[in-house]
Amino acid sequence: MTAETTEISIRREGRAGRITLTRPKALNALSHAMCLAIEAALLDWLDDPEVALVLIDAEGERAFCAGGDITAMYDEGRRGAYEGARQFWRDEYRMNALLAEYPKPIAAFAQGFTMGGGVGLAGHVSHRIVGDSTQIAMPECGIGLVPDVGGSLLLARAPGRLGEYLGLTAARMGPGDALHCGFADHYIPETAWETLKTTLAETGDPEAIAAAARPAPESPLATQQAEIDALFSGERLIDIVNALKASETEFAAAALKALSRNAPLSMAVTLEMLHRHRAGSLDIRKALALEYRFTHRALPEGDFLEGVRAQVIDKDRAPKWQHALDAVPLAAAAKMLQPVRDAELAFHDLSAQETHAMKIGFIGLGNMGGPMAQNLAKAGHDVTGFDTQTVTLDGVATAASATEAARDADVVITMLPNGEILKSVAAEVIPAMKAGAVFLDCSTVDVDSARAVAADAAAAGLLPLDAPVSGGTGGAQAGTLTFMVGGDAAGFETAKPLFDIMGSKSVHCGASGNGQAAKICNNMILGVTMIATCEAFALADKLGLDRQAMFDVVSTSSGQSWSMNTYCPAPGIGPKSPADNDYKPGFAADLMLKDLRLARAAAEGADADTPMGQAAMALYARFVEEEDGAGRDFSAMLPRFEARGRG
Ligand code: NAD
């Protein structure tokens, strides 16, 4: 395919598909049309046997690409029209993921300014080349955005706290820093680039890149790493600001000055994104999806329009941000990262080329198991399911029995109601499973049942894992569950790609049963804090304290918890939660009662004193079994308390 526009040149040259940005006067700023043209070319070349590799470069000496073209977004946004910007970002991010996941080699030659959207083009491909003029940065916080185009992933992967430093200050990286921070792979003097491109187009062999590479220039950031790690390790923006203020070095003063220019809300969200990426399994799609939650809201709710006005339109460099540097409410940042309904990102499915397909038997296809099995099938795995109820799911083959689903499977997954059922299913399928296969139970069951099943599976030469989940049915559908995993490391490694499909985080907690132990302890805390939050709201009501004021104080003070900040039980307050949907369950009170009973059984078995867990269990038992709690969300404790006095 050959396409020439004034903004971009797309053509075939020898064995190479070539993409050249041709807007040097605009520092090759990336427009929506350019994103779509790049995507179309990449898709075209995917199955073209003549194209062995792709080269991306740009005209002009000053910039490879200094960012996205944001003026059109600003004009529309000022008129209250947000969809154009959102569509641009969705299309751009899909193209970024395609670059990152492309099955053929892609070499990007990034001279001069390579910022924002430019990092999305040059930062994820297989061969990232920099030269002496390269200046890479993620300056989005300066215009009220957050590092996007997958940049948050690169920042999260940078050594130590360099990601926080680069994201918050928008500091520029020369070639040595870019290599040190993981934004580039090869330093090649720019005088050698044209010859290299010719060789690559002639041979189609990317080997020539490594051969042309020279030793990395020095990285100033590497020498400042210890100081940066100390200054930027704070949990929240305010912690970092305080650390910078307390330090007397010139470096800290310069960093503080940089922070004082940028949008506080954007910086607080950037920090939160980096922390979330590091806690979970890092991958480009999850990074882009998290970034999009912010950019989707950036115009109506963020500081983006004000940032563009001050930096690009009026150029007064005096933006009026929504929050002060030392006063971004925790809830404001959390709100910008809430899931976006009806506008999730879509990505190209390259799984046929990429996935090492496993044969999976999936037993228990209920509210949780059904969507989990479907997500595995969608990702290219060969899934056969069984349930005692008749369940049919797109993409999932149906077996006539649990044994049939388990036979010859590389991994058998169970998602069942309780420990008794798990034990009976395990007794049936373990003898039918092939040696070395993984027996992966994701149900929430008692620790003793989990350990008994694991012992039987191990004795039969299998790799047992107990991996209960949190995240509810919404997480099961969206593939964003958290897995708490007990069992040995080899089993965990085998199952890890499956956790990454069904969830966004998996934590290996140690030996068999420890996954269940982690889940039970977590949910005991959750039950207790939800009750505490609900009773405090009911008390606040009776003392005449406004619920919004109560939320604003507690969600940023020492009484904060997930129950208050993310899943607020008061309707109309805080982020959207089941309270806003008449307490229809996200997480049903019945299931909370089940988990609290498991906690009690575990505490009895281990002789642990858990008075708060006991009290929470007794309250949920009364709520579900004697009052109107059955079938309602577990946060419906609030209307229960509201209606009562002390008697
Ligand atoms: P569910 O009742 O919707 O699904 C369980 C499925 O197992 C049902 O379809 C049932 O027919 C099937 N089943 C029962 N006995 C079987 C057998 N012998 N062989 C094959 N299939 C059998 O329950 P769910 O909400 O999907 O929960 C499953 C597990 O996940 C539970 O352990 C639960 O505690 C846990 N969990 C649920 C949530 C949630 O929000 N629903 C959240 C976290 C964890």
Side-chain angles (χ1 to χ4, degrees), residues 363-370 386-389 391 402 415-418 421 424-425 442-445 469-473 519 586-588 591 594-595:
I363 301 168
L365 303 170
N367 293 325
M368 298 291 290
F386 172 72
D387 195 293
T388 42
Q389 307 288 318
V391 181
M415 195 55 176
L416 296 161
N418 59 47
I421 297 179
S424 86
V425 169
C442 296
S443 333
T444 304
V445 303
V469 303
S470 72
T473 50
K519 163 94 186 177
F587 183 45
L591 284 177
K594 168 188 166 181
D595 292 353

